[in-house]
């Protein structure tokens, strides 16, 4: 029997600062992400893009007259296009004369002047586009960098680099002249967030990680960096209120989220009421209303407003037609398990009609600095329907548990995380929740990497592995990576493969491929530049030569696939593979229909 589930791509509308009734957002159009222009006053939402691979990057100018969107190929390389808000069907190049590149930031001043960052293999080039359409080069920066914001007057811009680097934050004039460099280091990380909407002086908001806590800071040309009172024990991000004196702070804490209104001068913190669960994004709109994307483990993401403004009607918030609510058939619990470096938090979902010990699938989150949330995941719903328990572990490196947890890789990259996965597995087996000999791993991206590493390093613990767009060989992946990925890897490993070869070798799944003894499902994307497919294909070949059951699925996509049909095909292929090779999976799980809801008319 087919079951209907839903895949969602919710995102907050981006509001035109001086025309707040106009905004753009990314919504669903026949199973693909596309850009829509929404006029709240007129009550209309018009589709701007209709690209086969979908479109996920968009912006609107402060006056609400021009829509920006990025026209990229599957590798992420492309060009910015602009369309008139009222006539989106006639796009034109935003930066005529410039070739394709990777996007590295887009910011706009109050008069419509746009600052654009474009990245290539050598670094990032910054350009200024006047509201009239003229384009001028501003500066070029080597290595990894990204444009964060421009101040409302169009005089200053800010560029971010690695948060722990001596050049973590750089402020330039929009003519390219250096103004300030704000240094950081391993014991004091620094993230720039954006300029206040109120000019004179230009007031830059930042987050500082220091002494294991997170705080707010600001910078002005006259006063330099100022630390503000108040500290948070877990990761935060923030955005300005329109008055330029208060900020909205979104805090990820454990598997949930909280919103706070903070007065920068006094440090006074006021909770913004939201339901328990996760806030995936939040922003203060020009009229002072707070819009946010909310979800919990049983509820697909919803766009909400504190003031109750009716927002674009995206996906249906309830279950698909004819489906039973997830809360009715799924038993959800949370556990804290003693581990090598402290208690490990894990989310457990299990069929309400089955007692343990159950076959289990560990869904390994990507990252490395993400975390498993109290948030809806269609994979959890599908796997619980098959009769499996689903375990999501917030191993070391996960955000939401403080700086010490997030930065702990003491046993080595990947190896530290495997210690925590094994500890949670052992605890749940001892408690009779999951069956000792029927535990599988499933992960995408960095989660897929950890899956392959665990199958080789801990061959006695896992009975099947599913790795979607994983890293199989860290050295080969580094050689093919973008500057941003190389910067991340260099930070994680403390150097490049030439500088610390042993660390890369110890962390690479290919080093342990001969120890893998269980069935493995591998999926690769032809145009994936984050986790290149060739090393994964070689890894699959090594398994086949040893007669290990392996399935290799190739998809025509980039690292992120924004076409729901791809997700459906992948999920059905994996479930069939599990039914063949993993004891305890119910037959009904192999027939899955995933429905995509449509955006507002």
């Amino acid at each position: 029997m087919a079951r209907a589930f839903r895949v969602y791509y919710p995102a907050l509308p981006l509001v035109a600062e001086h025309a707040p009734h106009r905004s753009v957002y990314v919504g669903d159009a026949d199973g693909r992400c596309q850009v829509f222009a929404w006029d709240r006053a007129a009550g209309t939402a018009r589709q701007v893009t209709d690209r086969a691979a979908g479109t996920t990057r968009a912006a609107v100018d402060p006056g609400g007259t021009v829509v920006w969107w990025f026209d990229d190929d599957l590798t992420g390389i492309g060009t910015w296009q602009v369309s008139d808000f009222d006539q989106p069907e006639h796009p034109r190049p935003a930066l005529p004369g410039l070739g394709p590149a990777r996007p590295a930031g887009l910011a706009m001043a109050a008069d419509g002047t746009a600052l654009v960052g474009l990245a290539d293999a050598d670094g990032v080039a910054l350009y200024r586009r006047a509201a009239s359409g003229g384009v001028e080069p501003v500066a070029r920066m080597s290595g990894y960098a990204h444009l964060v914001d421009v101040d409302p007057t169009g005089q200053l811009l800010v560029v971010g680099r690695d948060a722990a680097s001596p050049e973590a934050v750089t402020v330039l004039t929009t003519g390219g002249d250096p103004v300030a460099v704000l240094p950081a280091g391993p014991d004091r990380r620094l993230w720039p967030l954006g300029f206040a909407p109120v000019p004179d002086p230009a007031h830059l908001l930042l987050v500082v990680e220091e002494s294991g806590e997170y705080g707010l800071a600001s910078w002005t040309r006259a006063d330099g960096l100022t630390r503000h009172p108040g500290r948070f024990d877990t990761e935060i991000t923030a955005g300005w209120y329109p008055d330029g004196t208060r900020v909205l702070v979104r805090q990820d804490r454990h598997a949930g989220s909280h919103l706070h209104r903070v007065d920068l001068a006094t440090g006074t913190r006021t909770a913004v009421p939201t339901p328990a669960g996760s806030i995936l994004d939040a922003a203060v709109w020009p009229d002072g209303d707070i819009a946010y994307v909310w979800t919990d483990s049983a509820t697909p993401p919803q766009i909400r407003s504190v003031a109750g403004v009716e927002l674009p009607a995206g996906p249906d918030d309830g279950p698909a037609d004819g489906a039973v609510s997830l809360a009715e058939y799924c038993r959800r619990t949370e556990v804290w398990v003693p581990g090598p470096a402290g208690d490990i938090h894990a989310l457990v979902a299990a069929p309400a009609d089955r007692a343990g010990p159950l076959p289990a699938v560990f869904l390994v989150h990507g990252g490395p600095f993400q975390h498993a949330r109290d948030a809806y995941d269609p994979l959890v719903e599908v796997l619980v329907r098959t009769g499996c328990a689903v375990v999501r572990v917030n191993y070391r490196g996960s955000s939401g548990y403080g700086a010490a947890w997030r930065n702990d890789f003491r046993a080595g990259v990947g190896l530290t995380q495997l210690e925590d996965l094994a500890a949670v597995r052992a605890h749940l087996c001892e408690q009779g929740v999951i069956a000792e000999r029927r535990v599988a791993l499933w992960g995408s991206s960095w989660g897929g990497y950890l899956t392959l590493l665990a199958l080789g390093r801990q061959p006695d613990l896992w009975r099947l592995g599913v790795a979607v767009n994983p890293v199989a060989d860290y050295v080969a992946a580094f050689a093919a990576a973008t500057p941003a990925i190389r910067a991340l890897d260099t930070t994680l490993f403390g150097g490049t493969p030439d500088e610390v070869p042993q660390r890369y070798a110890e962390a690479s799944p290919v080093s342990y491929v001969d120890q893998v003894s269980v069935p493995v499902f591998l999926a690769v994307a032809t145009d994936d530049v984050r986790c290149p497919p060739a090393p994964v294909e070689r890894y699959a070949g090594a398994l086949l030569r040893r007669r290990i059951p392996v399935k290799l699925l190739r998809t025509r996509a980039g690292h992120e696939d924004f076409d729901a049909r791809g997700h459906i095909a992948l999920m059905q292929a994996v479930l069939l593979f599990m039914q063949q090779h993993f004891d305890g999976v119910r037959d009904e799980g192999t027939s899955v229909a995933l429905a995509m809801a449509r955006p507002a008319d």
Side-chain angles (χ1 to χ4, degrees), residues 364 368 395-397 408-422 446 449-451 453-454 457-458 474 492-493 503 506-509 512:
V364 189
Y395 48 71
R396 278 171 286 173
D408 187 351
F409 290 81
R410 69 185 70 178
V413 175
L415 307 179
T416 302
Q417 290 65 48
L418 297 195
E419 291 181 348
D420 294 348
L421 290 172
W446 213 70
Y449 153 69
L450 290 179
T451 294
L453 188 64
R457 288 280 301 196
Q458 302 167 331
Y474 243 119
L492 280 177
F493 286 94
R503 294 179 189 174
E506 291 176 350
S508 288
Y512 313 101

Side-chain angles (χ1 to χ4, degrees), residues 3-46:
R3 296 286 189 178
F5 303 93
R6 296 192 184 276
V7 177
Y8 294 84
Y9 301 107
L12 283 181
L14 301 173
V15 177
E17 184 177 359
H18 302 307
H21 63 289
R22 289 189 160 190
S23 62
V24 300
Y25 67 94
V26 176
D28 170 65
D30 295 325
R32 295 184 177 93
C33 297
Q34 303 291 356
V35 177
F36 291 80
W38 176 42
D39 189 321
R40 188 165 59 184
T44 59
R46 302 176 65 180

Side-chain angles (χ1 to χ4, degrees), residues 431-512:
Q431 297 297 310
V433 176
I434 64 177
E436 172 76 29
R437 308 298 294 177
R438 292 190 291 167
V439 185
L441 291 164
W442 184 335
S444 297
S445 191
W446 213 70
Y449 153 69
L450 290 179
T451 294
L452 296 186
L453 188 64
L455 296 181
R457 288 280 301 196
Q458 302 167 331
D460 295 333
L461 302 187
W462 315 104
R463 288 295 163 262
L464 180 139
V466 178
V468 179
N469 296 345
V471 171
D473 182 337
Y474 243 119
V475 175
F478 187 94
T482 65
I485 298 298
R486 288 187 182 184
L488 173 61
D489 290 346
T490 300
T491 299
L492 280 177
F493 286 94
T496 68
D498 289 338
E499 294 166 340
V500 288
Q502 187 61 30
R503 294 179 189 174
Y504 282 82
E506 291 176 350
S508 288
V510 70
S511 299
Y512 313 101

Side-chain angles (χ1 to χ4, degrees), residues 98 115-116 125-129 134-140 174-176:
L98 298 183
L115 276 296
V116 183
L126 303 176
Y127 296 90
R128 181 177 61 248
R129 179 190 188 271
V135 180
E136 297 178 347
V138 173
R140 183 167 183 87
T174 51

Side-chain angles (χ1 to χ4, degrees), residues 27-355:
D28 170 65
D30 295 325
R32 295 184 177 93
C33 297
Q34 303 291 356
V35 177
F36 291 80
W38 176 42
D39 189 321
R40 188 165 59 184
T44 59
R46 302 176 65 180
Q47 186 172 335
V48 176
T49 63
D50 187 20
R51 300 175 60 242
T55 313
T56 60
R57 296 179 185 273
V60 62
D61 75 311
T65 61
V66 178
V67 177
W68 287 65
W69 52 276
F70 198 69
D71 182 15
D72 56 344
D73 62 20
L74 295 176
T75 69
I77 294 175
T79 59
W80 281 106
Q81 303 288 312
V82 290
S83 303
D84 293 335
F85 192 95
D86 293 321
Q87 294 182 309
E89 61 273 13
H90 301 297
R92 59 194 180 276
L95 306 169
L98 298 183
R102 298 187 188 283
L106 171 65
M108 298 185 206
D111 66 357
T113 298
L115 276 296
V116 183
L118 298 176
D120 56 28
D122 298 320
V124 171
L126 303 176
Y127 296 90
R128 181 177 61 248
R129 179 190 188 271
S132 61
V135 180
E136 297 178 347
V138 173
R140 183 167 183 87
M141 311 180 79
S142 62
Y144 166 69
H146 65 282
L147 172 69
V148 176
D149 200 8
V150 61
D151 83 297
T153 66
Q155 300 299 308
L156 297 178
L157 62 86
V158 59
V159 173
R161 292 181 182 267
D162 185 289
S165 75
E167 298 178 320
V169 180
T170 300
V171 181
L172 305 168
T173 69
T174 51
D177 298 323
V179 174
V181 175
L182 308 182
D187 299 323
R188 180 178 175 273
R189 291 173 169 85
L190 198 60
W191 294 270
L193 300 180
F195 288 101
V198 180
D200 193 25
H203 201 178
L204 176 65
L205 181 66
L206 306 101
V207 166
V208 182
E209 176 204 305
E210 195 170 35
S211 301
E213 295 182 311
Y214 297 85
L216 297 169
S218 61
W219 175 92
T220 64
R221 199 166 187 172
D223 299 329
L225 189 69
T226 300
R227 298 287 298 272
H228 296 288
R231 297 291 179 268
F232 294 84
D233 62 349
T234 59
E235 290 81 354
I236 61 172
T237 189
W240 291 98
Y241 273 77
D243 60 15
T245 65
R246 299 171 298 161
V247 298
L248 178 69
V249 173
R250 174 165 58 95
Q251 180 186 22
D252 286 329
R253 193 166 196 281
H254 301 162
S257 307
H258 307 279
L259 294 181
H260 309 272
R261 182 173 62 250
V262 177
D263 185 295
L264 289 182
T266 64
T268 303
R269 184 187 309 176
T270 305
V272 176
T274 57
S278 291
I279 308 296
L280 305 182
D281 195 9
V284 185
W285 283 359
D287 61 2
D289 190 11
I290 297 171
Y292 60 96
V293 179
W294 173 84
T295 179
D296 67 11
S297 293
T299 312
Q302 306 171 353
I303 301 177
R304 296 187 171 192
S305 157
V306 169
V309 172
E310 186 174 349
L311 299 172
D316 176 8
D317 296 329
D321 295 340
V324 179
S325 168
L326 177 62
E328 295 183 41
Y329 65 81
C330 178
R331 183 174 64 252
R332 294 177 292 141
T333 58
E334 298 183 25
V335 297
W336 289 85
V337 177
D343 288 348
I344 309 160
H345 190 206
L347 310 177
V348 182
D353 62 348
R354 296 185 68 175

